[in-house]
Amino acid sequence: MMYVLGVVMAGGRGERLYPLTQHRAKPAVPFGGRYRIIDFVLSNFVNSGILSIYVVTQFKAQSLLEHLDRGWRATDFLGDHFITPVPAQMRSGDDWYQGTADSVYQNLYLLERHKPTLVAVFGADHIYRMNIRQMIEEHRNKSAEVTVAAIPVKLEEASLRSTPTGALSGSRKNPKNPKRFPANLTMPWCPWATISSTTKC
């Protein structure tokens, strides 16, 4: 059976949402009453049958950790699976995470422990509903090494470019003079062997 391990990147400062992020990380910002922004990605994972999830945290994480403990106690409904926060631990030097790729790299030991078929790396700061199983099927049908979900947006918000067949042909982080790029909605699906060999090069 295919085993998918979820990794949620929840360490962002959320500077553009200040003052809402003055005392908490962006994924911990309240939304719709008692919910938090991170609840969207966690709900998408759980409703898609992905029940083993690491939540990588860094900045002002206390509010987020308390919310995960109160609202996502894995032992209550996930059986042998888990939703586990992973704080920054400086496992590969004296620096905090230097970005998304580095936060995955510094926690490779967790991925190695599980040896999943696929690793799903998603951000924790988007508000959307998604059937992730459809993305898994597309990934497998195309025998892709990496799959990225994206939606069309205005040019000034764009960060990715794709070919007519859907292959990723370029990316920019907050481009100053963008062409017609779709926005990056989630992070890649990676077969474990690929993410392992790529990040260890």
Side-chain angles (χ1 to χ4, degrees), residues 94-122:
D94 296 329
D95 294 321
W96 297 107
Y97 299 140
Q98 300 301 300
T100 301
D102 185 55
S103 61
V104 173
Y105 175 77
Q106 290 197 37
N107 290 293
L108 274 179
Y109 75 103
L110 295 174
L111 280 60
E112 291 170 343
R113 180 184 299 170
H114 294 277
K115 293 292 191 292
T117 310
L118 293 175
V119 177
V121 185
F122 276 56

Short mmCIF file of all heavy atoms in Angstrom, two decimals, residues 94-122:
data_model
loop_
_atom_site.label_atom_id
_atom_site.label_comp_id
_atom_site.label_asym_id
_atom_site.label_seq_id
_atom_site.Cartn_x
_atom_site.Cartn_y
_atom_site.Cartn_z
N ASP A 94 24.51 26.17 13.05
CA ASP A 94 24.09 27.16 14.05
C ASP A 94 22.99 28.08 13.56
O ASP A 94 22.68 29.07 14.21
CB ASP A 94 25.30 28.01 14.47
CG ASP A 94 26.38 27.18 15.16
OD1 ASP A 94 26.01 26.18 15.82
OD2 ASP A 94 27.56 27.53 15.03
N ASP A 95 22.40 27.77 12.39
CA ASP A 95 21.39 28.65 11.82
C ASP A 95 20.00 28.05 11.97
O ASP A 95 19.82 26.83 11.97
CB ASP A 95 21.66 28.87 10.33
CG ASP A 95 22.95 29.65 10.10
OD1 ASP A 95 23.22 30.58 10.88
OD2 ASP A 95 23.67 29.32 9.14
N TRP A 96 19.01 28.94 12.07
CA TRP A 96 17.62 28.52 11.97
C TRP A 96 17.36 28.14 10.52
O TRP A 96 18.23 28.28 9.67
CB TRP A 96 16.69 29.67 12.40
CG TRP A 96 16.85 30.08 13.83
CD1 TRP A 96 17.44 31.21 14.28
CD2 TRP A 96 16.42 29.35 14.98
NE1 TRP A 96 17.40 31.24 15.64
CE2 TRP A 96 16.77 30.11 16.10
CE3 TRP A 96 15.76 28.13 15.17
CZ2 TRP A 96 16.50 29.70 17.41
CZ3 TRP A 96 15.48 27.72 16.47
CH2 TRP A 96 15.86 28.49 17.56
N TYR A 97 16.14 27.70 10.24
CA TYR A 97 15.82 27.35 8.86
C TYR A 97 16.07 28.53 7.94
O TYR A 97 15.66 29.65 8.22
CB TYR A 97 14.35 26.94 8.74
CG TYR A 97 13.97 25.73 9.57
CD1 TYR A 97 12.76 25.69 10.25
CD2 TYR A 97 14.81 24.62 9.67
CE1 TYR A 97 12.39 24.58 11.00
CE2 TYR A 97 14.46 23.52 10.41
CZ TYR A 97 13.25 23.50 11.08
OH TYR A 97 12.90 22.41 11.83
N GLN A 98 16.72 28.26 6.81
CA GLN A 98 17.03 29.30 5.84
C GLN A 98 16.05 29.31 4.68
O GLN A 98 16.33 29.87 3.63
CB GLN A 98 18.45 29.10 5.32
CG GLN A 98 19.50 29.17 6.40
CD GLN A 98 19.51 30.50 7.13
OE1 GLN A 98 19.70 31.55 6.51
NE2 GLN A 98 19.28 30.48 8.43
N GLY A 99 14.90 28.69 4.84
CA GLY A 99 13.89 28.62 3.80
C GLY A 99 13.24 27.25 3.80
O GLY A 99 13.54 26.39 4.63
N THR A 100 12.32 27.06 2.85
CA THR A 100 11.55 25.82 2.80
C THR A 100 12.43 24.60 2.58
O THR A 100 12.34 23.60 3.29
CB THR A 100 10.50 25.91 1.68
OG1 THR A 100 9.65 27.02 1.94
CG2 THR A 100 9.67 24.64 1.62
N ALA A 101 13.31 24.66 1.58
CA ALA A 101 14.16 23.51 1.28
C ALA A 101 15.05 23.17 2.47
O ALA A 101 15.25 22.00 2.80
CB ALA A 101 15.00 23.78 0.04
N ASP A 102 15.58 24.19 3.14
CA ASP A 102 16.46 23.94 4.27
C ASP A 102 15.71 23.32 5.45
O ASP A 102 16.25 22.47 6.16
CB ASP A 102 17.13 25.24 4.72
CG ASP A 102 18.15 25.02 5.82
OD1 ASP A 102 19.07 24.20 5.61
OD2 ASP A 102 18.03 25.65 6.88
N SER A 103 14.47 23.72 5.64
CA SER A 103 13.70 23.14 6.75
C SER A 103 13.42 21.67 6.50
O SER A 103 13.40 20.86 7.43
CB SER A 103 12.39 23.92 6.96
OG SER A 103 11.58 23.86 5.81
N VAL A 104 13.21 21.29 5.22
CA VAL A 104 13.06 19.87 4.90
C VAL A 104 14.39 19.15 5.08
O VAL A 104 14.47 18.07 5.68
CB VAL A 104 12.53 19.68 3.46
CG1 VAL A 104 12.53 18.20 3.07
CG2 VAL A 104 11.12 20.26 3.33
N TYR A 105 15.47 19.77 4.60
CA TYR A 105 16.80 19.16 4.71
C TYR A 105 17.17 18.89 6.17
O TYR A 105 17.68 17.81 6.51
CB TYR A 105 17.84 20.07 4.07
CG TYR A 105 19.25 19.59 4.24
CD1 TYR A 105 19.75 18.55 3.46
CD2 TYR A 105 20.09 20.16 5.18
CE1 TYR A 105 21.04 18.09 3.62
CE2 TYR A 105 21.39 19.71 5.35
CZ TYR A 105 21.86 18.68 4.57
OH TYR A 105 23.14 18.23 4.74
N GLN A 106 16.92 19.87 7.04
CA GLN A 106 17.29 19.71 8.44
C GLN A 106 16.46 18.64 9.15
O GLN A 106 16.81 18.21 10.24
CB GLN A 106 17.18 21.04 9.19
CG GLN A 106 18.24 22.05 8.79
CD GLN A 106 18.38 23.16 9.81
OE1 GLN A 106 18.27 22.94 11.01
NE2 GLN A 106 18.63 24.37 9.33
N ASN A 107 15.37 18.22 8.54
CA ASN A 107 14.53 17.21 9.17
C ASN A 107 14.47 15.92 8.35
O ASN A 107 13.53 15.13 8.49
CB ASN A 107 13.12 17.77 9.38
CG ASN A 107 13.10 18.83 10.46
OD1 ASN A 107 13.33 18.55 11.63
ND2 ASN A 107 12.86 20.07 10.07
N LEU A 108 15.48 15.69 7.52
CA LEU A 108 15.51 14.46 6.72
C LEU A 108 15.47 13.21 7.58
O LEU A 108 14.95 12.18 7.16
CB LEU A 108 16.76 14.43 5.85
CG LEU A 108 16.68 15.12 4.49
CD1 LEU A 108 18.01 15.02 3.77
CD2 LEU A 108 15.57 14.50 3.64
N TYR A 109 16.01 13.30 8.79
CA TYR A 109 16.02 12.12 9.64
C TYR A 109 14.62 11.63 9.93
O TYR A 109 14.39 10.42 10.11
CB TYR A 109 16.78 12.41 10.94
CG TYR A 109 16.03 13.27 11.93
CD1 TYR A 109 15.40 12.71 13.04
CD2 TYR A 109 15.92 14.65 11.74
CE1 TYR A 109 14.71 13.50 13.94
CE2 TYR A 109 15.24 15.43 12.62
CZ TYR A 109 14.63 14.86 13.74
OH TYR A 109 13.93 15.65 14.63
N LEU A 110 13.65 12.53 9.97
CA LEU A 110 12.25 12.12 10.21
C LEU A 110 11.71 11.38 9.00
O LEU A 110 10.99 10.39 9.15
CB LEU A 110 11.39 13.35 10.50
CG LEU A 110 11.71 14.11 11.78
CD1 LEU A 110 10.88 15.39 11.86
CD2 LEU A 110 11.47 13.23 13.00
N LEU A 111 12.05 11.84 7.80
CA LEU A 111 11.60 11.16 6.59
C LEU A 111 12.25 9.80 6.47
O LEU A 111 11.62 8.81 6.09
CB LEU A 111 11.89 12.01 5.36
CG LEU A 111 10.91 13.15 5.06
CD1 LEU A 111 10.83 14.16 6.18
CD2 LEU A 111 11.29 13.85 3.75
N GLU A 112 13.53 9.74 6.81
CA GLU A 112 14.24 8.47 6.74
C GLU A 112 13.65 7.44 7.71
O GLU A 112 13.66 6.25 7.44
CB GLU A 112 15.73 8.70 7.05
CG GLU A 112 16.45 9.48 5.96
CD GLU A 112 17.85 9.92 6.38
OE1 GLU A 112 18.13 9.89 7.60
OE2 GLU A 112 18.63 10.29 5.50
N ARG A 113 13.14 7.91 8.80
CA ARG A 113 12.54 7.02 9.80
C ARG A 113 11.32 6.30 9.24
O ARG A 113 11.06 5.16 9.58
CB ARG A 113 12.15 7.84 11.03
CG ARG A 113 11.52 7.05 12.15
CD ARG A 113 11.08 7.97 13.28
NE ARG A 113 12.23 8.68 13.84
CZ ARG A 113 12.11 9.69 14.71
NH1 ARG A 113 10.90 10.10 15.09
NH2 ARG A 113 13.18 10.28 15.21
N HIS A 114 10.57 6.96 8.34
CA HIS A 114 9.31 6.39 7.85
C HIS A 114 9.42 5.73 6.49
O HIS A 114 8.60 4.87 6.16
CB HIS A 114 8.24 7.49 7.80
CG HIS A 114 7.87 8.01 9.15
ND1 HIS A 114 6.95 7.39 9.96
CD2 HIS A 114 8.31 9.10 9.83
CE1 HIS A 114 6.83 8.07 11.09
NE2 HIS A 114 7.64 9.11 11.04
N LYS A 115 10.38 6.13 5.68
CA LYS A 115 10.54 5.60 4.32
C LYS A 115 9.21 5.59 3.55
O LYS A 115 8.75 4.55 3.08
CB LYS A 115 11.10 4.17 4.38
CG LYS A 115 12.53 4.10 4.89
CD LYS A 115 13.51 4.72 3.89
CE LYS A 115 14.96 4.43 4.26
NZ LYS A 115 15.40 5.09 5.49
N PRO A 116 8.55 6.74 3.41
CA PRO A 116 7.27 6.78 2.70
C PRO A 116 7.43 6.60 1.20
O PRO A 116 8.51 6.81 0.64
CB PRO A 116 6.74 8.18 3.02
CG PRO A 116 7.99 8.99 3.20
CD PRO A 116 8.99 8.07 3.84
N THR A 117 6.33 6.24 0.55
CA THR A 117 6.32 6.16 -0.92
C THR A 117 6.38 7.57 -1.51
O THR A 117 7.09 7.81 -2.49
CB THR A 117 5.03 5.47 -1.40
OG1 THR A 117 4.87 4.24 -0.70
CG2 THR A 117 5.09 5.20 -2.89
N LEU A 118 5.62 8.48 -0.95
CA LEU A 118 5.59 9.88 -1.38
C LEU A 118 5.71 10.78 -0.17
O LEU A 118 5.22 10.44 0.92
CB LEU A 118 4.29 10.20 -2.11
CG LEU A 118 4.01 9.55 -3.45
CD1 LEU A 118 2.61 9.93 -3.92
CD2 LEU A 118 5.04 9.97 -4.48
N VAL A 119 6.30 11.94 -0.37
CA VAL A 119 6.34 12.98 0.65
C VAL A 119 5.57 14.18 0.12
O VAL A 119 5.86 14.68 -0.97
CB VAL A 119 7.79 13.39 0.99
CG1 VAL A 119 7.80 14.52 2.01
CG2 VAL A 119 8.58 12.20 1.50
N ALA A 120 4.58 14.63 0.87
CA ALA A 120 3.77 15.77 0.47
C ALA A 120 4.16 16.96 1.34
O ALA A 120 3.94 16.94 2.55
CB ALA A 120 2.29 15.47 0.64
N VAL A 121 4.75 17.98 0.74
CA VAL A 121 5.20 19.16 1.47
C VAL A 121 4.26 20.31 1.12
O VAL A 121 4.25 20.77 -0.03
CB VAL A 121 6.66 19.52 1.11
CG1 VAL A 121 7.15 20.68 1.98
CG2 VAL A 121 7.58 18.31 1.29
N PHE A 122 3.50 20.76 2.09
CA PHE A 122 2.51 21.81 1.86
C PHE A 122 2.76 22.98 2.81
O PHE A 122 3.23 22.79 3.93
CB PHE A 122 1.09 21.29 2.13
CG PHE A 122 0.46 20.57 0.98
CD1 PHE A 122 1.07 19.48 0.39
CD2 PHE A 122 -0.77 20.96 0.50
CE1 PHE A 122 0.49 18.80 -0.67
CE2 PHE A 122 -1.37 20.30 -0.57
CZ PHE A 122 -0.73 19.22 -1.15
#
